[in-house]
Amino acid sequence: MSQPHATKVLVIGYVWPEPRSSAAGGHMMQILESFLQQGWHVTFSSPAGSGEHRADLTALGIREIPIELNNSSFDTFISELAPDIVLFDRFMMEEQFGWRVEKHCPEALRVLETSDLQSLRDARQQRLKNRLKASEDGNDFSELFAPALREEFELMAETDLAQREIAAIYRCDLSLMISEVEIELLVEHFKLPRSLLHGCPLMVDLPTHAPVPFEDRAHFIHIGNFRHAPNWDAVLWLKTTIWPMIRQQLPAAQLHIYGAYTPPKATALHNAAQGFHVMNWAEDALQVMSAARVCMAPLRFGAGIKGKIVDAMLCGTPNVTTPIGAEGMHAAEPWPGAITRTARSFADSAVQLYQDKTQWLKAQAQGLELLASRYQPRIHGPALIARLEHCRQHLASIRRDNFTGSMLRHHQHKSTQYMAQWIEAKNRHKEDAPT
């Protein structure tokens, strides 16, 4: 009697996952773990170079195959692999490889992992730049946090990035969305069918041990990959405005800033006399988070949901953030710390949390409650698998109903295909040319 066919999944990564460097890397590993728990055969491919902190996927039983952009070798590779599901890690990978997947494996379910809406993040970054040009006030950024989703849509709608990103969502059979706010934006304002989207937040197991006590903790902490623009901006706001306000109230306070890929411009901000310590990369982010008393995430722009804040809740570390930092993370549930709109209120809230044990313990408990209600793998992992299986079973009707996606694939993939073939021919000509 023949064995049942094991589902084969190909993940095409924008980068090789680095779960200890970014929330996006952590989320990808959580998705891969959900696949492995089903006994699915997983292959991970990427055209990117190997990063310093990449995960060892082979140790988990995942096959690693590097691929190249604009190279027909991918066609042979995917034809031989014949995956049942292809997951594109961010829309740029769908742009590059989507037409090849459709041509050589038309029956494979095509899924997009958006990570966060890059076009939303970039539009918000532009709004911050405009605000900084218009005013030197470093305290009050309330207007950045006030726009309704309709205003966000109007900011994004005419940008090339939004048109590319949302076209990729249409071209896929299903897109994974990490934030419910972004789902609402896409459905209510960009008018995407809800049936093309699936909410898939960060998935973390609840801690099994008691958190480090209040008395055994010290210092403030900020953590985040320096290559991620919102994190670098947060460090600048801390340095120029928020941290001096905290030091006025707590002259001996220390802030420890950790992040992967620390650039010289960040290292240059280190000033031990001011208690401002740039610590580079943390080998164990949860360990340093557990040793700190308050996590600070002063994000003035961004999108998605924030891995550093989930890590803080896991470690029982209350946090202070902005409406951008808290977006999509708690709905109507109490926030495990404080959500603020100005540098002054941020500093005051951080100092109060640092000193007030009763308030600190209450925030800590709220963090654990939030993890239990919204981020458990035993809920979201099976939900993801069930949605993928449903899409595979109803693939023909899903594609028939998604006429806009079919139309976009017809036009976009033709132009992308011809451009890729032209680049490949040009590269081959260079290689064959006499030296």
Side-chain angles (χ1 to χ4, degrees):
M1 186 174 178
S2 62
Q3 293 294 318
H5 167 71
T7 298
K8 290 188 289 185
V9 182
L10 171 64
V11 180
I12 302 178
Y14 179 66
V15 294
W16 298 94
E18 297 189 11
R20 295 185 296 168
S21 298
S22 70
H27 194 229
M28 176 53 69
M29 295 301 295
Q30 294 156 12
I31 292 170
L32 294 174
E33 183 62 32
S34 297
F35 296 164
L36 294 174
Q37 288 176 357
Q38 298 301 305
W40 291 359
H41 294 171
V42 181
T43 300
F44 195 102
S45 294
S46 177
S50 183
E52 280 181 52
H53 312 301
R54 62 174 287 184
D56 184 358
L57 300 180
T58 57
L60 301 175
I62 296 172
R63 186 180 173 208
E64 296 183 357
I65 304 291
I67 53 177
E68 293 184 37
L69 299 173
N70 305 309
N71 194 313
S72 56
S73 61
F74 179 86
D75 303 345
T76 304
F77 160 63
I78 195 169
S79 297
E80 293 175 351
L81 181 64
D84 302 292
I85 300 172
V86 176
L87 177 70
F88 304 101
D89 173 27
R90 284 167 270 195
F91 78 92
M92 297 81 82
M93 293 298 96
E94 189 280 335
E95 287 182 331
Q96 288 286 339
F97 295 99
W99 67 272
R100 295 183 185 274
V101 172
E102 181 174 23
K103 182 177 181 180
H104 297 283
C105 295
E107 298 306 312
L109 181 71
R110 297 186 291 269
V111 184
L112 176 63
E113 155 63 344
T114 60
S115 184
D116 63 17
L117 277 181
Q118 185 176 329
S119 52
L120 174 60
R121 173 167 25 102
D122 279 31
R124 287 173 168 173
Q125 183 176 15
Q126 187 57 52
R127 188 167 60 210
L128 172 61
K129 289 179 179 178
N130 294 340
R131 158 65 176 78
L132 292 174
K133 288 179 183 177
S135 172
E136 295 182 356
D137 174 28
N139 175 52
D140 191 351
F141 290 86
S142 299
E143 72 271 21
L144 297 182
F145 311 132
L149 287 180
R150 177 66 194 180
E151 294 177 61
E152 303 279 28
F153 164 74
E154 292 172 356
L155 198 63
M156 298 167 63
E158 296 183 1
T159 66
D160 176 72
L161 194 59
Q163 292 176 14
R164 289 173 55 198
E165 189 166 28
I166 291 167
I169 293 173
Y170 266 115
R171 287 193 297 265
C172 289
D173 303 310
L174 186 70
S175 290
L176 309 184
M177 306 299 303
I178 203 167
S179 165
E180 60 194 23
V181 172
E182 293 176 8
I183 292 177
E184 183 183 354
L185 174 66
L186 292 177
V187 171
E188 297 299 325
H189 300 283
F190 285 94
K191 305 303 180 184
L192 264 88
R194 193 177 292 272
S195 59
L196 294 179
L197 309 175
H198 176 75
C200 184
L202 294 176
M203 297 178 274
V204 293
D205 291 311
L206 296 176
T208 56
H209 55 274
V212 177
F214 177 86
E215 292 82 6
D216 294 341
R217 296 174 181 245
H219 314 315
F220 296 87
I221 189 172
H222 171 81
I223 192 165
N225 189 327
F226 281 104
R227 288 181 175 174
H228 192 53
N231 293 333
W232 171 238
D233 177 73
V235 170
L236 290 178
W237 197 24
L238 281 167
K239 175 70 173 182
T240 60
T241 310
I242 295 171
W243 186 243
M245 292 178 176
I246 291 175
R247 287 278 287 191
Q248 286 175 355
Q249 301 180 62
L250 299 174
Q254 292 187 35
L255 169 59
H256 293 175
I257 296 175
Y258 295 89
Y261 303 105
T262 309
K265 64 181 180 180
T267 306
L269 299 180
H270 179 87
N271 189 318
Q274 296 174 355
F276 197 92
H277 299 269
V278 179
M279 311 291 285
N280 299 316
W281 186 64
E283 183 70 31
D284 186 338
L286 296 183
Q287 182 181 42
V288 296
M289 184 69 78
S290 294
R293 190 173 288 181
V294 175
C295 171
M296 301 200 294
L299 296 164
R300 293 188 287 192
F301 71 96
I305 59 178
K306 314 307 179 294
K308 63 179 69 63
I309 293 177
V310 170
D311 284 350
M313 290 189 285
L314 274 171
C315 298
T317 308
N319 76 87
V320 184
T321 190
T322 65
I324 293 290
E327 181 180 85
M329 295 197 68
H330 69 120
E333 297 179 63
W335 187 252
I339 302 171
T340 65
R341 294 172 177 266
T342 68
R344 172 53 64 191
S345 61
F346 193 105
D348 291 346
S349 297
V351 169
Q352 188 174 1
L353 265 177
Y354 195 88
Q355 295 181 310
D356 187 335
K357 180 179 178 180
T358 300
Q359 182 182 344
W360 189 89
L361 288 172
K362 181 180 178 181
Q364 182 183 79
Q366 289 169 337
L368 295 173
E369 291 166 4
L370 197 54
L371 287 178
S373 67
R374 294 178 67 89
Y375 298 102
Q376 290 204 58
R378 64 180 179 84
I379 296 173
H380 299 294
L384 171 60
I385 299 302
R387 186 67 186 276
L388 294 175
E389 294 286 20
H390 177 270
C391 289
R392 290 183 64 196
Q393 293 168 12
H394 300 88
L395 189 56
S397 61
I398 288 171
R399 289 180 177 171
R400 181 193 63 226
D401 294 342
N402 181 18
F403 179 79
T404 300
S406 177
M407 180 175 61
L408 287 168
R409 287 199 308 276
H410 175 77
H411 292 287
Q412 171 69 14
H413 283 174
K414 288 299 181 186
S415 61
T416 305
Q417 174 182 344
Y418 297 145
M419 177 59 76
Q421 290 172 340
W422 179 80
I423 293 172
E424 183 176 6
K426 185 179 179 182
N427 291 340
R428 192 182 304 118
H429 177 73
K430 286 181 178 178
E431 292 172 1
D432 294 341
T435 56

